[in-house]
């Protein structure tokens, strides 16, 4: 817990491979963070690519699917952030947790843990987590054969800048996300009957 609280920068790379029968493409997601408030995300599913840069309250985005706004990942609740809650919440929910033989991940000697995550409809996922032995930081997480999350460049210098030209204009293809309210709803009048 103390190691992840002190973490000042990192990169993650997540790959999700759906079953071939689903007809869905492999999804990749890259995240970079530099304390205290600089994030970069890039998501691709084979048909579109979305990029988001968040610096403080300013959010910039770029997408290959015109007319859409990418999902802006909230770093504090995305599950990708190696913080106390996200990293260790999963460990605390695993059943039959086992400590396996130490392994090397990206050049780091790691503890290797495996446990079962139970889902509705009697489904079970096998989760593996690797944690660095020297710094106690997460290095890798897998879920069956369909999901891999790698952590790297931990506490290394990472440059995340606004996508601006030397003249201070947005680079081609980039947009700035407006944070003003888009919709106002009077919930006391709009919710009634069966609240689905």
């Amino acid at each position: 817990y103390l190691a992840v609280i002190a973490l000042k920068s990192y990169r993650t790379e997540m790959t999700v491979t759906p079953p071939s029968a689903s007809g869905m493409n492999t999804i990749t997601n890259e995240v970079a963070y530099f304390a205290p408030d600089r994030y970069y995300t890039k998501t691709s599913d084979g048909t579109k690519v979305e990029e988001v840069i968040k610096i403080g309250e300013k959010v910039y985005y770029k997408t290959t699917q015109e007319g859409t706004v990418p999902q802006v990942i909230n770093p504090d609740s995305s599950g990708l952030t190696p913080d106390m809650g996200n990293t260790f919440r999963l460990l605390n929910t695993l059943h039959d947790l086992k400590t396996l033989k130490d392994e090397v991940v990206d050049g780091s000697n790691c503890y290797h843990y495996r446990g079962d995550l139970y889902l509705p409809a009697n489904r079970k996922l096998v989760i593996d987590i690797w944690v660095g032995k020297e710094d106690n930081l997460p290095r890798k997480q897998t879920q069956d054969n369909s999901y891999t999350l790698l952590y790297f460049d931990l506490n290394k210098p990472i440059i995340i800048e606004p996508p601006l030209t030397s003249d201070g204009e947005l680079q081609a293809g980039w947009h700035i996300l407006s944070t003003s309210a888009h919709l106002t709803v009077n919930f006391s009048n709009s919710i009634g009957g069966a609240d689905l």
Side-chain angles (χ1 to χ4, degrees):
Y1 288 104
L2 295 176
V4 292
I5 289 172
L7 193 57
K8 300 297 182 198
S9 63
Y10 62 84
R11 293 183 194 276
T12 66
E13 185 176 290
M14 178 185 70
T15 305
V16 179
T17 307
S20 55
S22 72
M24 297 172 64
N25 295 330
T26 296
I27 298 169
T28 60
N29 182 279
E30 302 169 32
V31 174
Y33 166 74
F34 192 78
D37 59 359
R38 291 179 179 246
Y39 290 89
Y40 168 80
T41 63
K42 181 178 181 181
T43 305
S44 173
D45 67 359
T47 60
K48 68 179 181 295
V49 178
E50 299 176 341
E51 294 178 82
V52 175
I53 295 173
K54 184 175 186 297
I55 300 174
E57 296 300 315
K58 289 200 171 186
V59 177
Y60 307 89
Y61 70 92
K62 181 179 182 180
T63 180
T64 57
Q65 189 173 14
E66 289 302 317
T68 64
V69 176
Q71 175 188 1
V72 177
I73 292 178
N74 179 351
D76 298 323
S77 62
S78 67
L80 301 176
T81 310
D83 68 5
M84 280 196 345
N86 293 323
T87 302
F88 295 104
R89 181 182 302 121
L90 182 60
L91 271 175
N92 291 334
T93 59
L94 296 179
H95 297 270
D96 304 320
L97 191 64
K98 301 173 187 71
T99 301
L100 303 179
K101 183 180 175 185
D102 294 350
E103 291 185 21
V104 175
V105 176
D106 196 26
S108 297
N109 290 322
C110 294
Y111 300 109
H112 181 188
Y113 305 102
R114 177 176 293 156
D116 298 327
L117 180 64
Y118 291 100
L119 301 174
N122 293 324
R123 290 182 52 226
K124 178 179 82 169
L125 296 175
V126 177
I127 308 291
D128 284 73
I129 298 176
W130 289 261
V131 177
K133 292 182 78 170
E134 293 182 14
D135 58 15
N136 295 307
L137 291 171
R139 288 296 194 282
K140 182 178 178 181
Q141 178 183 320
T142 62
Q143 180 176 297
D144 290 337
N145 295 319
S146 62
Y147 172 96
T148 302
L149 178 60
L150 300 172
Y151 298 96
F152 54 99
D153 288 347
L154 304 168
N155 286 321
K156 299 279 176 73
I158 296 174
I159 297 173
I160 302 172
E161 295 293 342
L164 304 176
T165 66
S166 57
D167 297 332
E169 301 293 323
L170 282 172
Q171 294 177 8
W174 283 91
H175 308 275
I176 191 159
L177 185 66
S178 172
T179 56
S180 60
H182 298 288
L183 178 66
T184 302
V185 178
N186 182 336
F187 287 101
S188 63
N189 290 335
S190 63
I191 294 179
D195 184 359
L196 303 178

